[in-house]
Each structure stands twice: as C-alpha cells, then as structure tokens.
Amino acid sequence: MKITLNLGAVAPSVADVVVLGTFTKKEKKGKKEVNVPAFGNWPKACKDSLVGLTAGKSFNGEKGSQFFFDWEGQRILAVGLGEKSDYDAESARRTASSVITTLKSSATKIAINLDTVAVKGNIETTAGLFTEGTELSLYEFDKYLSTKKTPKTTEIIFDSKAKKTGAKKIQKAIDEALIVCESVNVARDFVNEPPNTLNSETYAKAVLADAKGIKGVRTKVLGKADLKKQKMGMFLSVNAGSAFEPQLVHLTYTPAKATKKTKHIAFVGKGLTFDTGGYSLKPGASMVNMKFDMAGSATVYGAFRAIAKLGLPVKVSCFLGMTDNAINSLATMPDSIVTAKNGKTVEILNTDAEGRLVLGDVLTYASEQKPDMMIDAATLTGACLIALGTEVCGLMGNDKKLADSLKKAASETDEYIWELPIIKEWREDMKSNIADLKNIGGSRWGGTAKAAAFLENFVGEGIAWAHLDIAGCGDSQGHLPYCPKKGASGLMVRTLVNLAKNN
Ligand code: BES
Ligand code: ZN
Ligand code: ZN
C-alpha cells in the first residue's frame, strides 16, 4: 500500500473518504448519563455538520463505532475510539484495521487524520501503529483463487497539523512498520503454502531467493550428506521416510558496524513442511493443516529478514530445520534408537514427537556459533493449545534474563506470551531405561514443558536459551482483526524483532 505523509495540513487531503477519530465521554442527559463523542481536534465546521444530522445522534464515539456523513462534498468516516484513558497502541492497530476493513473494497484513496487518532498525542508512534494495523489487515492468501481479493484502495494519506520538520522521524516510523509487516506477511505466505508445492527443497530455495540481496546477509544450506557428516542422527531419522532431502538453512546477518561488543542472537526454527506423524500416524482430522508445522521456521525467518532489512545493530544467525515427517519403507519405526549430533542416544517411542528431534540437532549446531542468546520457535505440542489456548505463545527456557526480555518485548508489541516451568521431575521423565533419553514423557500431562525438558539437553553449555511453542498462536486468530480469521497468524515475528531492537 502506498502510504503518504502530509504534514502541516490545514484541511483534510482530498480523498474518497476522510477518516476522523473521536473518543467518547459521559454527558448528563436529564437524570441519565449517556456517551457522546468528544470531538477533540476536529475541524469545527465538520463537527457542527455531524452534530446537526439527526442520524448523527446515534454516533457516540464508543470503541468500534463508525458513522459516514458528507461535509462540504467530502465523504467523512467518523470512527469511535472509546474512552481516552483506555486508548493505547493496540487500540490504534485495531482502529486502523477496522477502518481499512470497512473501506478497502470501496475507497481508492483514504485520508486519515492522525491528530484525531493519536495515542497519547504521539503522531510518530501512531503513524507506525496505523501502518501496522493497515498492512497486517490487508494480507490475503489469494494465490490459488481464480478471483483475487485485490483491495480497491491504492493510497492512504496520513494528515497531521504537525510541523513539517518532524517529517523524517514520522516517515521512519512508517517505513520501519512497513518492513516489519512485509516480513510478517512473508512468514504468513510460507505457512499458508500447501505441502504439495512447499517441501524442504522448494522451501529452502524460496527462503534463499527471498534473502538474496539483503545487505549484510550470508547464506548456506546443508543437505542430507552434510547432515550425515554432522552426525545429526535425530534430524535424519525424521527425514528417513521422506521423498525430499532434509535442508538446514543457515543464514547470518552481520550489521555494518559490528564490533566485539555486538550482541549475537541465534534463531532456530522448526520447519516441518508436513507432519503426518510418521508410523505413529496422526488420525485424519488431526493431520489436516499440518502444513503449518513449519510455522516456527517461518516466524524466525520473518524476524531475521526484518532485523536485517532494518539494519539493526545486532548480529543474528538463523537456523531453519526443514523436512517433512512422512512414511515409506525406510521411515523410522517406533522403538528405534538414534544418536544425536551431541552424542546422546534417543529412544524414539513416538514418531509424531518429531519436532524436538529436528530442533535438538539444530540447537546443537547453532550452539557451536557461541551466540549470546538462542531462541527457538516451533509448533511443538498440541498440549500447548490445551495449556494456553490458541492466543498465547508458550515460553520456556534456562535463563531468567532472556525470558524476561522476551516477555517485555512481547508486551511492548501487544503479543501474548506466558512462561511454563521446566521442573526436575519432567527432566527425569524424559530419560529412557535403554538410551540416554526418550522422545516422549511417561504421560500426556505437562507435554509442552516436557518437550522443552527434552530440548534443553541439546543447548550448548552456558548458552542462554528460550523456547517458544507457537502451536496455538501461529495459526488462525479469531480475536485479532489484523490477523486472518483462517490461516497463518504471523504472530511473534514482531516480538522477536522488538527483542533485537531492545538488545
Ligand atoms: N506438530 C505437532 C504439534 C501440534 C499439534 C501443533 C497440533 C499444532 C497442533 C507435533 O509434532 C506433535 O505431533 N506432537 C505430539 C507430541 C506427542 C506425541 C508427545 C502431540 O502434541 O500430540
Ligand atoms: Zn508430530
Ligand atoms: Zn510436528
């Protein structure tokens, strides 16, 4: 979407629709208290025009309310922002989302008066938030539809009375939001792609094609022979029944002015392009949508590309473990015992607990780079949906400081995250009597953190590590207007970018 900034605006830009926001306030009407709009910095004549309309009396500025009217030949959309004290960053994203959802199929050019929708009077952050709300809402996966869902809207103008001298900063907020949202949408595209077109080989190629030309980025891909050399017995066991080569995509972003003090973050992602469960086959209904089992890798890649494109002053290494979990005569059978890259032996009691096998070896590989912190993202356990619902990302790890900074980064971007403990009893439960470890616990209870207790064994000595289970939040988000109702959410990309910003 073309977003234009118009500062020093004395009148609204000429557009198909001009959007003005208003809070609501309580007013005494006889004995009753009613909500009425608090027009704030609306042009006076425009406010008088709305107040003069009989139908306009129904508009009270409550959150989510909308009212169209004409003023001096200009179509106006009044949007309610609710109570001023409740209006925050997330309200701004959601307001932008409701505006674009209402107008995208009818208005070519939309002018939004930033002064009337500003969060705590801050035009700069509001410009970024409105860009986010708009860009994330406009996402459609219409590649396979004969009739595309192209919006009619081609331009949004942000009007503000703010002085033109502030243009650079405000423009920067818009440009940064555009980069982050583009990256969220790239991640969503990868996840939504079906498994008959996206397999480990095509996925690795697509990531390399996307990363090509990003300043400071180097790429490397390890195939089956390389993984054998690396002795990644767990990763290879998952790929054993596949028609495609396993791929370990290793990307590095080094900022222009890197010094010895530059922080080094490692991202690791589960890239299961499809999870049938293997010989521990999933029942039909549970197998549907398992194309999304690579969402962890798409999430960390999305964050990686945004960080690199923003040119943030942190070094980031990104490791994507790609394969499907399929069956042929060579597929791994339950009861198999394999040896991980770090030498530990693992009894595979359930081939459907495959993500931890891939991630374990990739975590060991990533640890060799000696990052200051390592974060993995994975659609790892169905149990995470039971524990935290579809909205909340599971967080586990071995380092309080890293966990706290992830919680802070998530809260600042209004994404939900909740930490689960890893207790010694669960570490014990992941031990086998005939191998060092087994890939499932003795019972279903606490399955999400037991998976983390397994992963922990593959984190290099002394490395701060956090694990994000996105099994719930990576998929459809009914409650979020700027996420598709059905399909990949792209959640946690913004949190990870923010974490890198905060470092
Ligand atoms: N990819 C699944 C986890 C999953 C399930 C994500 C449902 C999203 C929705 C994972 O590989 C898996 O199958 N895990 C098993 C683990 C079990 C066998 C210990 C699960 O959650 O049932
Ligand atoms: Zn599985
Ligand atoms: Zn899986």
Side-chain angles (χ1 to χ4, degrees):
M1 180 66 54
K2 184 177 172 200
I3 296 184
T4 320
L5 187 58
N6 176 35
L7 295 184
V10 278
S13 291
V14 176
D16 297 309
V17 179
V18 167
V19 178
L20 300 172
T22 163
F23 295 110
T24 191
K25 62 177 183 190
K26 297 251 185 280
E27 208 174 73
K28 276 241 157 96
K29 211 172 190 184
K31 276 190 184 157
K32 271 201 284 182
E33 248 194 359
V34 289
N35 279 327
V36 294
F39 289 102
N41 35 21
W42 272 41
K44 187 175 179 311
C46 185
K47 171 181 135 185
D48 292 344
S49 164
L50 171 57
V51 174
L53 293 171
T54 316
K57 307 245 179 306
S58 64
F59 178 71
N60 56 13
E62 274 176 16
K63 201 175 237 173
S65 58
Q66 297 189 338
F67 184 72
F68 280 101
F69 66 105
D70 292 308
W71 171 60
E72 292 184 2
Q74 173 68 66
R75 193 98 179 115
I76 309 271
L77 171 60
V79 294
L81 309 174
E83 302 275 346
K84 193 170 184 174
S85 55
D86 289 343
Y87 185 73
D88 56 11
E90 181 65 1
S91 322
R93 276 185 211 100
R94 293 186 189 201
T95 302
S97 178
S98 69
V99 165
I100 195 70
T101 306
T102 301
L103 298 177
K104 68 180 175 189
S105 55
S106 57
T108 307
K109 204 167 171 183
I110 303 169
I112 300 177
N113 182 315
L114 279 188
D115 303 325
T116 63
V117 294
V119 181
K120 317 241 180 308
N122 191 326
I123 299 301
E124 187 187 328
T125 50
T126 306
L129 292 164
F130 263 67
T131 305
E132 267 182 28
T134 307
E135 290 300 310
L136 294 178
S137 302
L138 282 170
Y139 175 81
E140 297 282 0
F141 187 68
D142 58 5
K143 188 174 169 186
Y144 295 100
L145 287 176
S146 307
T147 314
K148 305 294 178 211
K149 294 184 173 174
T150 316
K152 193 166 176 211
T153 310
T154 53
E155 186 180 1
I156 295 175
I157 309 165
F158 287 155
D159 286 329
S160 170
K161 283 188 288 197
K163 289 200 193 92
K164 288 204 158 89
T165 46
K168 221 172 159 182
K169 269 187 160 176
I170 303 172
Q171 189 60 51
K172 190 168 169 242
I174 296 170
D175 294 342
E176 288 191 2
L178 284 172
I179 289 175
V180 174
C181 295
E182 179 196 73
S183 300
V184 172
N185 291 337
V186 164
R188 287 170 170 175
D189 267 346
F190 279 139
V191 179
N192 288 329
E193 194 64 35
N196 55 327
T197 60
L198 195 92
N199 56 61
S200 46
E201 293 166 23
T202 57
Y203 186 21
K205 279 203 190 96
V207 166
L208 291 197
D210 183 76
K212 203 177 159 114
I214 306 180
K215 232 176 113 199
V217 171
R218 280 178 298 128
T219 61
K220 183 164 135 185
V221 182
L222 286 77
K224 194 168 185 164
D226 305 304
L227 299 198
K228 278 185 185 159
K229 255 188 235 154
Q230 292 284 336
K231 298 195 162 66
M232 294 195 183
M234 293 197 296
F235 191 161
L236 287 162
S237 77
V238 177
N239 180 254
S242 176
F244 308 101
E245 284 230 2
Q247 306 271 273
L248 200 180
V249 176
H250 175 177
L251 309 148
T252 322
Y253 159 66
T254 315
K257 288 180 191 140
T259 66
K260 274 197 180 137
K261 279 195 183 149
T262 304
K263 284 267 173 65
H264 181 191
I265 308 178
F267 287 148
V268 172
K270 170 175 173 182
L272 263 288
T273 56
F274 198 82
D275 182 9
T276 68
Y279 275 120
S280 312
L281 194 65
K282 284 185 185 293
S286 316
M287 203 188 293
V288 174
N289 203 35
M290 275 302 139
K291 65 172 183 178
F292 122 100
D293 214 16
M294 35 59 70
S297 61
T299 303
V300 293
Y301 175 67
F304 172 86
R305 86 191 279 289
I307 293 164
K309 286 196 174 201
L310 291 170
L312 296 184
V314 282
K315 181 177 169 177
V316 188
S317 298
C318 186
F319 305 89
L320 315 171
M322 301 172 179
T323 178
D324 51 19
N325 184 20
I327 309 170
N328 63 16
S329 58
L330 300 172
T332 300
M333 279 177 267
D335 287 344
S336 297
I337 295 178
V338 298
T339 306
K341 174 172 165 59
N342 73 351
K344 292 195 178 167
T345 54
V346 177
E347 185 185 16
I348 300 175
L349 291 176
N350 190 319
T351 60
D352 197 12
E354 84 300 336
R356 60 197 76 184
L357 300 173
V358 171
L359 281 182
D361 275 342
V362 182
L363 284 169
T364 304
Y365 180 80
S367 298
E368 288 178 350
Q369 305 291 320
K370 302 252 174 286
D372 296 302
M373 62 196 97
M374 181 157 73
I375 301 159
D376 76 70
T379 49
L380 207 62
T381 64
C384 191
L385 282 125
I386 308 291
L388 298 174
T390 54
E391 299 89 349
V392 182
C393 175
L395 164 68
M396 285 135 280
N398 65 3
D399 187 85
K400 184 171 184 316
K401 210 172 134 222
L402 176 57
D404 286 346
S405 53
L406 273 160
K407 288 178 201 168
K408 178 170 178 275
S411 130
E412 285 167 353
T413 46
D414 296 300
E415 296 191 315
Y416 296 129
I417 198 167
W418 196 259
E419 188 173 3
L420 302 173
I422 305 176
I423 59 174
K424 60 179 186 300
E425 286 79 357
W426 295 340
R427 293 188 180 109
E428 275 310 305
D429 195 26
M430 298 311 292
K431 288 184 181 161
S432 156
N433 58 338
I434 55 165
D436 300 331
L437 294 164
K438 52 187 164 73
N439 77 330
I440 54 167
S443 76
R444 291 164 58 214
W445 316 123
T448 301
K450 281 180 188 169
F454 179 87
L455 291 180
E456 195 186 49
N457 288 284
F458 304 95
V459 175
E461 191 69 33
I463 297 176
W465 159 74
H467 161 58
L468 302 180
D469 196 328
I470 61 161
C473 72
D475 204 6
S476 315
Q477 296 293 308
H479 72 292
L480 279 181
Y482 50 81
C483 279
K485 289 273 166 292
K486 246 192 136 18
S489 71
L491 288 178
M492 300 323 285
V493 172
R494 289 187 298 117
T495 291
L496 292 175
V497 175
N498 194 34
L499 177 92
K501 265 193 193 163
N502 291 346
N503 258 283

